[in-house]
Amino acid sequence: DQQVKQNSPSLSVQEGRISILNCDYTNSMFDYFLWYKKYPAEGPTFLISISSIKDKNEDGRFTVFLNKSAKHLSLHIVPSQPGDSAVYFCAASGNNAGNNRKLIWGLGTSLAVNP
Amino acid sequence: KAGVTQTPRYLIKTRGQQVTLSCSPISGHRSVSWYQQTPGQGLQFLFEYFSETQRNKGNFPGRFSGRQFSNSRSEMNVSTLELGDSALYLCASSEQGTRGYTFGSGTRLTVV
């Protein structure tokens, strides 16, 4: 059972437009969420995170929005650039000791930004 | 700081063999996690080691095992390899194992 779901396996947008990647989760104990970007043949790299005490976190062109009541978060990339083409993973974790500490990952969304 | 180093980068093994993968974390990072990535299953958590102790474990069979040394370097072992074990194996390190993970480039294992 996927506790973190990225329902869109792929997304294609035009350069300069907004990319919106979505992520849903089922475990109400999750309180920290991260987005990672992965290029082929490389490991994922950290992009941006958000704690459940916030509903928005912004870093340059990247903004993550969290809707706790809907158990939904989204990553906005504005403006999108061809170099943003990669697989984006959403991950979540709890704040307690033990197994809640491990990250639970979505299956990823492959973003293609077309020039 | 040097990043997370995984060796080897590529590996081809035969069914039934065993394999050992290595991960050197970022200096000062005491937590090392291992993940298996396959196209249909995304990133699947294998286990996490912290200060030489396994702290978390995913839902993988006992053929998958690991260990961590006193210098925080970690090894992962897979015995009696099956075709389905073909995947990219990723190692990630962090200071405490809670938030900021840095990944290595992975080891691409192909079982034939």
Side-chain angles (χ1 to χ4, degrees):
Chain A
D1 180 38
Q2 283 282 64
Q3 295 187 65
V4 176
K5 299 177 186 177
Q6 295 178 255
N7 292 318
S8 298
S10 63
L11 177 67
S12 181
V13 300
Q14 285 298 120
E15 181 179 5
R17 306 294 290 268
I18 183 172
S19 295
I20 300 177
L21 297 99
N22 294 305
C23 179
D24 297 291
Y25 61 97
T26 58
N27 190 337
S28 58
M29 293 298 291
F30 290 150
D31 74 333
Y32 194 73
F33 306 89
L34 307 93
W35 285 94
Y36 278 77
K37 179 169 74 172
K38 185 181 183 302
Y39 293 116
E42 293 183 14
T45 54
F46 172 75
L47 198 55
I48 192 169
S49 64
I50 188 167
S51 164
S52 61
I53 62 172
K54 293 185 172 183
D55 55 17
K56 176 182 174 182
N57 189 26
E58 193 171 351
D59 183 3
R61 296 185 298 113
F62 302 91
T63 302
V64 56
F65 295 92
L66 175 62
N67 182 333
K68 282 179 292 183
S69 61
K71 294 192 179 68
H72 176 84
L73 63 154
S74 60
L75 173 68
H76 292 211
I77 306 174
V78 184
S80 302
Q81 298 173 354
D84 296 330
S85 298
V87 177
Y88 289 78
F89 289 97
C90 169
S93 74
N95 65 343
N96 297 323
N99 281 336
N100 271 344
R101 218 192 317 250
K102 67 184 179 187
L103 286 176
I104 307 297
W105 297 79
L107 295 182
T109 296
S110 179
L111 172 66
V113 180
N114 306 307
Chain B
K1 271 187 179 178
V4 178
T5 304
Q6 288 189 248
T7 56
R9 286 297 308 275
Y10 302 94
L11 205 49
I12 300 176
K13 289 285 188 179
T14 306
R15 267 183 305 176
Q17 286 187 309
Q18 67 97 26
V19 67
T20 299
L21 313 181
S22 178
C23 173
S24 293
I26 288 174
S27 177
H29 284 191
R30 292 189 293 163
S31 167
V32 174
S33 299
W34 288 90
Y35 291 84
Q36 181 195 66
Q37 187 191 11
T38 55
Q41 296 296 319
L43 281 162
Q44 299 290 310
F45 174 76
L46 281 153
F47 28 67
E48 183 210 0
Y49 287 86
F50 184 84
S51 294
E52 302 179 66
T53 301
Q54 187 180 86
R55 190 161 68 172
N56 281 305
K57 191 176 189 306
N59 298 322
F60 277 80
R63 299 185 297 107
F64 292 82
S65 63
R67 58 178 175 167
Q68 187 180 33
F69 302 95
S70 58
N71 62 358
S72 293
R73 190 177 72 84
S74 177
E75 287 182 348
M76 188 192 110
N77 186 278
V78 188
S79 62
T80 320
L81 284 165
E82 300 176 0
L83 294 179
D85 296 333
S86 295
L88 179 67
Y89 289 88
L90 291 160
C91 163
S93 77
S94 73
E95 288 185 20
Q96 292 290 331
T98 53
R99 308 302 195 200
Y101 288 86
T102 302
F103 282 84
S105 296
T107 295
R108 170 71 64 184
L109 171 66
T110 302
V111 182
V112 297

